Amino acid sequence: MIKKLKQSLLAAALAALCGHTHAADVEVLHWWTSGGEAKALAELTKKLEANGHRWRDFSVTGGGGDNAMLLLKTRVVSGYPPMAAQIKGPEIRDWAEDGLLADIGDIAKAGNWDATLPTVVANAMKYEGRYVAAPVNVHRVNWMWINPEVLKKAGVEPPASWDALIASAENIRKAGFIPIAHGGQPWQDFTLFESVALGVGGADFYRKAFVTLDPATLQSATMTKVLDTFKSLRKLIDAGANNREWSAATALVINGKAAVQFMGDWAKGEFARAGKQPGRDYLCLAAPGSDKAYTYNIDSFAFFRQRQDDARKAQADLANALMGAEFQENFNLAKGSIPARTNARMDRFDDCAKRSAEAFRATAQSGGLVPSIAHRMAAPEAVQSAMQAVVSSFFNDPAMNSREAQTRLVQAVSANAPQR
Ligand code: BGC
């Protein structure tokens, strides 16, 4: 629907493209508004300003980017796209297909991006073989963030399986803590769900379900087990979770109110900003059962086509800044992720980041590397959002059982996937 609307207004949008942009104005849409995210973003604004440009912040609150992507569409259809926007995964191709994105192939060639990026990252940035987006990092999503003090007080070991976590919830509660820190927003429900799917079903199952979108896999007994396990976790969440931001959920772990959070490693940006050390104040472990797998989530920026030379120059500076080795190091130290560039220096990074880099390499070899569905990397946008709606309703509706959710997941795919 939105896509159709977008297409019908495409001509108007293209006609109006950026006649209004001031030479030194770099307007960038993003959703990095938490403490850790803002600290990471400051590295980018600093860099751009050092190049003589003026940063015009277009930030949209709401983790996961659902709000930001809606607002982006509104801006584009009204003829005023920003200069660049945080756009990820298959959506990069959608925007390029609509003819709205600038080809940055020459910048990429001059910077030798093909040799500098892992294949999985480079491929996600291209449309018809040409770069249309620049990556800044790789986030791992299948993490479990633990407050070890809380577990100790509850007399509980870090959970090795989802069932073990469910079994220990009673003790955690009796000791006065919330078992799982969570924010009741559809994307956070979906983030938790994909980690359960990976842990219970494994990487091949995950790929068939969320990348191939295979109806038989969505209807399989394994998926029933995934959904049953996921639903059991609902009871481990506190009553105040409704609509809580993800960073407020991380704060519950940081402040010793909750035992664990399941979230990508942008959560580590919050621990870092609070002065906490991994291994001492908190633990980062792969979500139960998913140690040999890796759900990747690449942050990237795409550039809307510009008419004026100075605007194009500003875009080139932005693209080069995003791919700079020193920038990626500083940015990712604050963001919690690892640099997108291969062979990045990792000596200033903490143990969680080093393990993420190692697991990223190892799982690319083993087949355990899979794109995050909750973070818009795996499926076409319409499918991703329809599946997210099903998963979130299922999680929050005590009357919906796993079989019904499975039927709805299959419908979410068949109604929204492009014909193959
Ligand atoms: C983005 C991260 C961001 C997180 C929370 C994810 O989809 O990739 O960069 O920190 O959402 O907003």
Side-chain angles (χ1 to χ4, degrees):
M1 227 299 257
I2 289 172
K3 186 152 186 189
K4 281 210 187 100
L5 177 66
K6 204 169 73 185
Q7 274 161 355
S8 69
L9 290 163
L10 178 63
L14 280 172
L17 266 181
C18 296
H20 62 290
T21 305
H22 181 280
D25 274 2
V26 180
E27 192 192 21
V28 182
L29 176 138
H30 63 89
W31 61 90
W32 290 335
T33 54
S34 78
E37 290 174 331
K39 185 156 183 255
L41 183 71
E43 293 293 331
L44 185 59
T45 55
K46 214 164 66 187
K47 189 94 203 154
L48 262 283
E49 278 160 9
N51 281 339
H53 300 296
R54 195 169 58 195
W55 179 269
R56 269 178 53 209
D57 201 53
F58 182 4
S59 62
V60 182
T61 32
D66 292 349
N67 298 345
M69 289 301 99
L70 268 179
L71 223 67
L72 176 62
K73 282 170 190 151
T74 312
R75 275 285 297 268
V76 173
V77 295
S78 52
Y80 293 99
M83 187 178 270
Q86 190 183 353
I87 300 177
K88 309 192 309 185
E91 284 161 63
I92 295 174
R93 249 162 283 147
D94 291 347
W95 286 102
E97 231 163 56
D98 288 348
L100 289 163
L101 298 188
D103 177 334
I104 54 167
D106 293 344
I107 299 166
K109 193 150 182 233
N112 208 11
W113 291 11
D114 270 340
T116 312
L117 293 171
T119 317
V120 72
V121 179
N123 287 346
M125 301 301 124
K126 291 179 185 174
Y127 174 64
E128 295 184 335
R130 302 279 294 175
Y131 280 91
V132 292
V136 281
N137 64 6
V138 178
H139 272 298
R140 187 183 197 185
V141 180
N142 60 316
W143 280 118
M144 167 168 66
W145 306 96
I146 295 183
N147 184 316
E149 254 327 281
V150 168
L151 286 195
K152 203 165 140 209
K153 285 186 189 148
V156 164
E157 290 296 317
S161 68
W162 295 101
D163 288 345
L165 175 61
I166 293 161
S168 66
E170 188 59 21
N171 284 345
I172 297 173
R173 248 213 203 94
K174 272 199 197 129
F177 306 105
I178 303 164
I180 297 181
H182 188 72
Q185 297 175 337
W187 74 271
Q188 292 189 59
D189 297 343
F190 208 21
T191 300
L192 175 61
F193 170 75
E194 75 171 32
S195 280
V196 176
L198 189 66
V200 172
D204 287 343
F205 162 83
Y206 180 102
R207 197 176 288 109
K208 278 193 211 135
F210 305 127
V211 183
T212 318
L213 304 172
D214 171 42
T217 306
L218 294 172
Q219 266 159 338
S220 64
T222 308
M223 185 56 94
T224 312
K225 186 158 178 233
V226 167
L227 286 159
D228 288 349
T229 307
F230 174 59
K231 187 86 159 219
S232 307
L233 298 174
R234 185 69 183 77
K235 297 188 285 289
L236 277 61
I237 289 165
D238 66 311
N242 197 17
N243 213 24
R244 177 189 283 144
E245 277 297 333
W246 66 271
S247 50
T250 310
L252 292 174
V253 179
I254 293 175
N255 298 329
K257 303 254 187 304
V260 304
Q261 183 186 20
F262 296 93
M263 190 48 67
D265 42 24
W266 47 93
K268 189 156 62 73
E270 303 304 299
F271 284 100
R273 203 163 166 272
K276 303 292 179 189
Q277 303 273 340
R280 186 189 74 188
D281 306 311
Y282 68 98
L283 308 177
C284 55
L285 298 179
S290 74
D291 196 31
K292 300 272 181 291
Y294 191 118
T295 28
Y296 67 86
N297 170 26
I298 305 162
D299 283 315
S300 51
F301 288 86
F303 305 88
F304 286 89
R305 270 166 52 191
Q306 305 292 316
R307 287 232 182 88
Q308 294 170 351
D309 285 349
D310 44 12
R312 277 202 290 267
K313 163 82 173 68
Q315 280 186 328
D317 285 349
L318 177 58
N320 283 323
L322 291 166
M323 273 292 288
E326 198 194 329
F327 162 72
Q328 287 205 357
E329 195 176 323
N330 292 331
F331 172 85
N332 287 300
L333 279 166
K335 188 71 170 67
S337 34
I338 56 172
R341 297 171 64 100
T342 36
N343 306 324
R345 273 183 36 198
M346 293 300 292
D347 44 300
R348 287 167 67 212
F349 284 84
D350 63 31
D351 196 45
C352 308
K354 286 182 180 137
R355 278 167 42 214
S356 171
E358 183 42 41
F360 184 62
R361 253 192 304 274
T363 54
Q365 303 285 318
S366 69
L369 184 64
V370 290
S372 164
I373 175 111
H375 292 277
R376 328 175 80 97
M377 298 300 300
E381 186 198 13
V383 176
Q384 186 270 353
S385 78
M387 284 181 124
Q388 174 171 291
V390 173
V391 164
S392 185
S393 310
F394 166 71
F395 196 50
N396 296 298
D397 176 358
M400 200 196 300
N401 67 30
S402 297
R403 295 301 306 164
E404 189 182 338
Q406 285 177 273
T407 308
R408 292 202 193 181
L409 283 174
V410 173
Q411 282 164 357
V413 171
S414 61
N416 295 290
Q419 297 301 320
R420 280 172 293 172

mmCIF file of all heavy atoms in Angstrom, residues 31-34 37 62-65 86 88 137 139 187 246 263 266 297-299 335 374-376, ligand 1:
data_model
loop_
_atom_site.group_PDB
_atom_site.id
_atom_site.type_symbol
_atom_site.label_atom_id
_atom_site.label_comp_id
_atom_site.label_asym_id
_atom_site.label_seq_id
_atom_site.Cartn_x
_atom_site.Cartn_y
_atom_site.Cartn_z
ATOM 1 N N TRP A 31 17.713 6.701 13.764
ATOM 2 C CA TRP A 31 16.918 6.503 14.991
ATOM 3 C C TRP A 31 17.821 6.226 16.196
ATOM 4 O O TRP A 31 17.484 5.474 17.094
ATOM 5 C CB TRP A 31 15.863 5.411 14.796
ATOM 6 C CG TRP A 31 16.310 4.019 14.476
ATOM 7 C CD1 TRP A 31 16.587 3.026 15.375
ATOM 8 C CD2 TRP A 31 16.456 3.426 13.179
ATOM 9 N NE1 TRP A 31 16.910 1.862 14.722
ATOM 10 C CE2 TRP A 31 16.834 2.071 13.354
ATOM 11 C CE3 TRP A 31 16.316 3.903 11.868
ATOM 12 C CZ2 TRP A 31 17.070 1.198 12.280
ATOM 13 C CZ3 TRP A 31 16.558 3.031 10.809
ATOM 14 C CH2 TRP A 31 16.919 1.707 11.027
ATOM 15 N N TRP A 32 18.964 6.892 16.202
ATOM 16 C CA TRP A 32 19.919 6.689 17.287
ATOM 17 C C TRP A 32 19.741 7.754 18.352
ATOM 18 O O TRP A 32 20.414 8.788 18.335
ATOM 19 C CB TRP A 32 21.336 6.714 16.719
ATOM 20 C CG TRP A 32 21.640 5.505 15.882
ATOM 21 C CD1 TRP A 32 21.061 4.270 15.960
ATOM 22 C CD2 TRP A 32 22.609 5.411 14.822
ATOM 23 N NE1 TRP A 32 21.611 3.413 15.036
ATOM 24 C CE2 TRP A 32 22.564 4.080 14.329
ATOM 25 C CE3 TRP A 32 23.514 6.311 14.270
ATOM 26 C CZ2 TRP A 32 23.375 3.645 13.290
ATOM 27 C CZ3 TRP A 32 24.337 5.877 13.246
ATOM 28 C CH2 TRP A 32 24.271 4.544 12.759
ATOM 29 N N THR A 33 18.842 7.479 19.280
ATOM 30 C CA THR A 33 18.490 8.501 20.265
ATOM 31 C C THR A 33 18.772 8.093 21.716
ATOM 32 O O THR A 33 18.582 8.898 22.619
ATOM 33 C CB THR A 33 16.996 8.856 20.134
ATOM 34 O OG1 THR A 33 16.235 7.646 20.237
ATOM 35 C CG2 THR A 33 16.686 9.508 18.793
ATOM 36 N N SER A 34 19.180 6.845 21.952
ATOM 37 C CA SER A 34 19.493 6.456 23.338
ATOM 38 C C SER A 34 20.862 7.055 23.702
ATOM 39 O O SER A 34 21.570 7.577 22.832
ATOM 40 C CB SER A 34 19.547 4.938 23.466
ATOM 41 O OG SER A 34 20.787 4.465 22.945
ATOM 42 N N GLU A 37 23.726 5.326 21.781
ATOM 43 C CA GLU A 37 23.593 5.613 20.343
ATOM 44 C C GLU A 37 24.001 7.053 20.041
ATOM 45 O O GLU A 37 24.708 7.322 19.068
ATOM 46 C CB GLU A 37 22.145 5.393 19.902
ATOM 47 C CG GLU A 37 21.722 3.933 19.898
ATOM 48 C CD GLU A 37 20.236 3.758 19.603
ATOM 49 O OE1 GLU A 37 19.438 4.667 19.927
ATOM 50 O OE2 GLU A 37 19.862 2.709 19.067
ATOM 51 N N GLY A 62 12.427 5.726 18.627
ATOM 52 C CA GLY A 62 11.785 4.431 18.409
ATOM 53 C C GLY A 62 12.817 3.429 17.934
ATOM 54 O O GLY A 62 13.259 3.495 16.782
ATOM 55 N N GLY A 63 13.232 2.552 18.860
ATOM 56 C CA GLY A 63 14.221 1.533 18.511
ATOM 57 C C GLY A 63 13.741 0.687 17.344
ATOM 58 O O GLY A 63 12.539 0.591 17.082
ATOM 59 N N GLY A 64 14.709 0.096 16.637
ATOM 60 C CA GLY A 64 14.357 -0.800 15.536
ATOM 61 C C GLY A 64 13.999 -0.075 14.245
ATOM 62 O O GLY A 64 13.994 -0.665 13.186
ATOM 63 N N GLY A 65 13.650 1.225 14.329
ATOM 64 C CA GLY A 65 13.494 2.031 13.122
ATOM 65 C C GLY A 65 12.112 2.034 12.479
ATOM 66 O O GLY A 65 11.938 2.651 11.424
ATOM 67 N N GLN A 86 19.289 6.299 7.340
ATOM 68 C CA GLN A 86 19.653 4.964 7.827
ATOM 69 C C GLN A 86 18.645 3.987 7.216
ATOM 70 O O GLN A 86 17.487 3.958 7.618
ATOM 71 C CB GLN A 86 19.562 4.983 9.356
ATOM 72 C CG GLN A 86 20.112 3.772 10.055
ATOM 73 C CD GLN A 86 19.903 3.859 11.571
ATOM 74 O OE1 GLN A 86 19.466 4.887 12.086
ATOM 75 N NE2 GLN A 86 20.214 2.785 12.266
ATOM 76 N N LYS A 88 18.298 -0.133 5.732
ATOM 77 C CA LYS A 88 19.035 -1.390 5.877
ATOM 78 C C LYS A 88 18.469 -2.512 5.025
ATOM 79 O O LYS A 88 17.317 -2.470 4.609
ATOM 80 C CB LYS A 88 18.982 -1.844 7.343
ATOM 81 C CG LYS A 88 19.387 -0.744 8.295
ATOM 82 C CD LYS A 88 19.613 -1.259 9.678
ATOM 83 C CE LYS A 88 18.468 -2.094 10.205
ATOM 84 N NZ LYS A 88 18.679 -2.470 11.582
ATOM 85 N N ASN A 137 28.816 -0.780 10.424
ATOM 86 C CA ASN A 137 29.079 -1.763 11.482
ATOM 87 C C ASN A 137 28.417 -3.110 11.198
ATOM 88 O O ASN A 137 27.683 -3.259 10.209
ATOM 89 C CB ASN A 137 28.546 -1.231 12.818
ATOM 90 C CG ASN A 137 27.035 -1.063 12.824
ATOM 91 O OD1 ASN A 137 26.345 -1.437 11.892
ATOM 92 N ND2 ASN A 137 26.519 -0.489 13.881
ATOM 93 N N HIS A 139 26.162 -5.512 13.834
ATOM 94 C CA HIS A 139 25.639 -5.822 15.164
ATOM 95 C C HIS A 139 25.303 -7.304 15.217
ATOM 96 O O HIS A 139 24.774 -7.862 14.247
ATOM 97 C CB HIS A 139 24.327 -5.064 15.426
ATOM 98 C CG HIS A 139 24.502 -3.697 16.002
ATOM 99 N ND1 HIS A 139 25.100 -3.472 17.223
ATOM 100 C CD2 HIS A 139 24.119 -2.474 15.547
ATOM 101 C CE1 HIS A 139 25.075 -2.172 17.486
ATOM 102 N NE2 HIS A 139 24.500 -1.539 16.483
ATOM 103 N N TRP A 187 8.671 -4.624 17.828
ATOM 104 C CA TRP A 187 10.013 -4.985 17.351
ATOM 105 C C TRP A 187 10.832 -5.669 18.444
ATOM 106 O O TRP A 187 11.673 -6.531 18.149
ATOM 107 C CB TRP A 187 10.755 -3.770 16.776
ATOM 108 C CG TRP A 187 11.262 -2.803 17.810
ATOM 109 C CD1 TRP A 187 10.592 -1.751 18.336
ATOM 110 C CD2 TRP A 187 12.546 -2.827 18.449
ATOM 111 N NE1 TRP A 187 11.371 -1.111 19.272
ATOM 112 C CE2 TRP A 187 12.581 -1.742 19.349
ATOM 113 C CE3 TRP A 187 13.673 -3.638 18.362
ATOM 114 C CZ2 TRP A 187 13.683 -1.453 20.156
ATOM 115 C CZ3 TRP A 187 14.777 -3.359 19.156
ATOM 116 C CH2 TRP A 187 14.781 -2.283 20.040
ATOM 117 N N TRP A 246 13.713 0.066 24.687
ATOM 118 C CA TRP A 246 14.708 -0.989 24.910
ATOM 119 C C TRP A 246 15.800 -0.535 25.866
ATOM 120 O O TRP A 246 16.302 -1.330 26.670
ATOM 121 C CB TRP A 246 15.321 -1.442 23.582
ATOM 122 C CG TRP A 246 16.144 -0.368 22.908
ATOM 123 C CD1 TRP A 246 15.697 0.562 22.027
ATOM 124 C CD2 TRP A 246 17.535 -0.102 23.096
ATOM 125 N NE1 TRP A 246 16.728 1.392 21.649
ATOM 126 C CE2 TRP A 246 17.866 1.000 22.286
ATOM 127 C CE3 TRP A 246 18.547 -0.694 23.861
ATOM 128 C CZ2 TRP A 246 19.156 1.529 22.220
ATOM 129 C CZ3 TRP A 246 19.834 -0.172 23.792
ATOM 130 C CH2 TRP A 246 20.128 0.924 22.985
ATOM 131 N N MET A 263 18.831 -8.817 23.594
ATOM 132 C CA MET A 263 18.860 -7.631 22.728
ATOM 133 C C MET A 263 20.169 -7.644 21.946
ATOM 134 O O MET A 263 21.153 -8.247 22.385
ATOM 135 C CB MET A 263 18.776 -6.392 23.642
ATOM 136 C CG MET A 263 18.549 -5.041 22.995
ATOM 137 S SD MET A 263 17.225 -4.944 21.766
ATOM 138 C CE MET A 263 15.738 -5.197 22.716
ATOM 139 N N TRP A 266 23.721 -3.258 20.540
ATOM 140 C CA TRP A 266 23.574 -1.835 20.846
ATOM 141 C C TRP A 266 23.311 -1.677 22.348
ATOM 142 O O TRP A 266 23.598 -0.625 22.917
ATOM 143 C CB TRP A 266 22.479 -1.171 20.009
ATOM 144 C CG TRP A 266 21.183 -1.931 19.937
ATOM 145 C CD1 TRP A 266 20.110 -1.776 20.745
ATOM 146 C CD2 TRP A 266 20.833 -2.962 18.991
ATOM 147 N NE1 TRP A 266 19.108 -2.650 20.365
ATOM 148 C CE2 TRP A 266 19.527 -3.382 19.294
ATOM 149 C CE3 TRP A 266 21.503 -3.559 17.925
ATOM 150 C CZ2 TRP A 266 18.872 -4.394 18.576
ATOM 151 C CZ3 TRP A 266 20.851 -4.568 17.207
ATOM 152 C CH2 TRP A 266 19.558 -4.969 17.537
ATOM 153 N N ASN A 297 23.111 -7.856 11.804
ATOM 154 C CA ASN A 297 22.308 -6.656 11.570
ATOM 155 C C ASN A 297 23.295 -5.542 11.222
ATOM 156 O O ASN A 297 24.094 -5.159 12.059
ATOM 157 C CB ASN A 297 21.532 -6.339 12.853
ATOM 158 C CG ASN A 297 20.858 -4.989 12.798
ATOM 159 O OD1 ASN A 297 20.532 -4.478 11.725
ATOM 160 N ND2 ASN A 297 20.666 -4.376 13.962
ATOM 161 N N ILE A 298 23.251 -5.118 9.977
ATOM 162 C CA ILE A 298 24.238 -4.132 9.498
ATOM 163 C C ILE A 298 23.586 -2.753 9.423
ATOM 164 O O ILE A 298 22.568 -2.586 8.747
ATOM 165 C CB ILE A 298 24.736 -4.512 8.085
ATOM 166 C CG1 ILE A 298 25.292 -5.935 8.066
ATOM 167 C CG2 ILE A 298 25.751 -3.510 7.579
ATOM 168 C CD1 ILE A 298 25.391 -6.534 6.675
ATOM 169 N N ASP A 299 24.155 -1.781 10.094
ATOM 170 C CA ASP A 299 23.663 -0.408 9.955
ATOM 171 C C ASP A 299 24.306 0.235 8.743
ATOM 172 O O ASP A 299 25.531 0.177 8.578
ATOM 173 C CB ASP A 299 24.003 0.416 11.208
ATOM 174 C CG ASP A 299 23.074 0.094 12.364
ATOM 175 O OD1 ASP A 299 21.854 0.011 12.128
ATOM 176 O OD2 ASP A 299 23.562 -0.080 13.487
ATOM 177 N N LYS A 335 29.084 2.291 20.084
ATOM 178 C CA LYS A 335 27.806 1.730 19.635
ATOM 179 C C LYS A 335 27.579 0.302 20.137
ATOM 180 O O LYS A 335 26.450 -0.169 20.221
ATOM 181 C CB LYS A 335 27.776 1.764 18.094
ATOM 182 C CG LYS A 335 26.453 1.394 17.475
ATOM 183 C CD LYS A 335 25.406 2.488 17.703
ATOM 184 C CE LYS A 335 24.152 2.269 16.896
ATOM 185 N NZ LYS A 335 23.380 1.106 17.280
ATOM 186 N N ALA A 374 14.076 -9.501 12.592
ATOM 187 C CA ALA A 374 13.485 -8.402 13.366
ATOM 188 C C ALA A 374 14.135 -7.070 13.007
ATOM 189 O O ALA A 374 13.508 -6.025 13.133
ATOM 190 C CB ALA A 374 13.629 -8.668 14.857
ATOM 191 N N HIS A 375 15.366 -7.113 12.560
ATOM 192 C CA HIS A 375 16.081 -5.869 12.237
ATOM 193 C C HIS A 375 16.197 -5.648 10.744
ATOM 194 O O HIS A 375 17.189 -5.100 10.261
ATOM 195 C CB HIS A 375 17.382 -5.781 13.032
ATOM 196 C CG HIS A 375 17.030 -5.607 14.467
ATOM 197 N ND1 HIS A 375 16.722 -4.390 15.018
ATOM 198 C CD2 HIS A 375 16.746 -6.538 15.416
ATOM 199 C CE1 HIS A 375 16.315 -4.562 16.258
ATOM 200 N NE2 HIS A 375 16.318 -5.861 16.528
ATOM 201 N N ARG A 376 15.169 -6.103 10.017
ATOM 202 C CA ARG A 376 14.948 -5.723 8.635
ATOM 203 C C ARG A 376 16.026 -6.187 7.674
ATOM 204 O O ARG A 376 16.246 -5.571 6.647
ATOM 205 C CB ARG A 376 14.814 -4.185 8.537
ATOM 206 C CG ARG A 376 14.193 -3.502 9.725
ATOM 207 C CD ARG A 376 14.208 -2.017 9.599
ATOM 208 N NE ARG A 376 13.118 -1.593 8.747
ATOM 209 C CZ ARG A 376 11.939 -1.166 9.175
ATOM 210 N NH1 ARG A 376 11.698 -1.098 10.472
ATOM 211 N NH2 ARG A 376 11.007 -0.822 8.351
HETATM 212 C C1 BGC B 1 19.663 -0.738 14.682
HETATM 213 C C2 BGC B 1 20.616 -0.299 15.750
HETATM 214 C C3 BGC B 1 19.858 0.414 16.848
HETATM 215 C C4 BGC B 1 18.724 -0.468 17.359
HETATM 216 C C5 BGC B 1 17.900 0.149 18.456
HETATM 217 C C6 BGC B 1 18.530 -1.547 15.282
HETATM 218 O O1 BGC B 1 17.606 -1.892 14.296
HETATM 219 O O2 BGC B 1 20.316 -1.517 13.732
HETATM 220 O O3 BGC B 1 21.607 0.544 15.233
HETATM 221 O O4 BGC B 1 20.739 0.756 17.870
HETATM 222 O O5 BGC B 1 17.865 -0.792 16.281
HETATM 223 O O6 BGC B 1 17.322 1.308 18.028
#
